[in-house]
Amino acid sequence: VDPNELAQIKVAFVRNVPPGADEDYFKKLFQPFGNVEKVTLSRKGSSTIGFVYFDKRSDLDNAIKGLNEKTV
């Protein structure tokens, strides 16, 4: 993977979103890892996925390290 291309990716994909979670929930959850530019949720049937847009790649990396494989 080209490091320059990887550095441009600043979006976290979140699966297994808890029922009732909204954009504010995600902002509060991810804000400690860096500046969250926006959050979008996609609800299809009974499942929800989220996308968290960070200001910097390093913020995304911190969130991945802090929350990957965690139940929230």
Side-chain angles (χ1 to χ4, degrees), residues 27-40:
K27 285 180 185 176
K28 289 176 186 172
L29 181 65
F30 284 91
Q31 197 72 44
F33 300 101
N35 184 44
V36 174
E37 292 181 345
K38 72 176 181 175
V39 173
T40 59

Side-chain angles (χ1 to χ4, degrees), residues 32-52:
F33 300 101
N35 184 44
V36 174
E37 292 181 345
K38 72 176 181 175
V39 173
T40 59
L41 298 177
S42 175
R43 291 181 169 85
K44 293 186 180 179
S46 62
S47 65
T48 302
I49 58 170
F51 299 90
V52 182

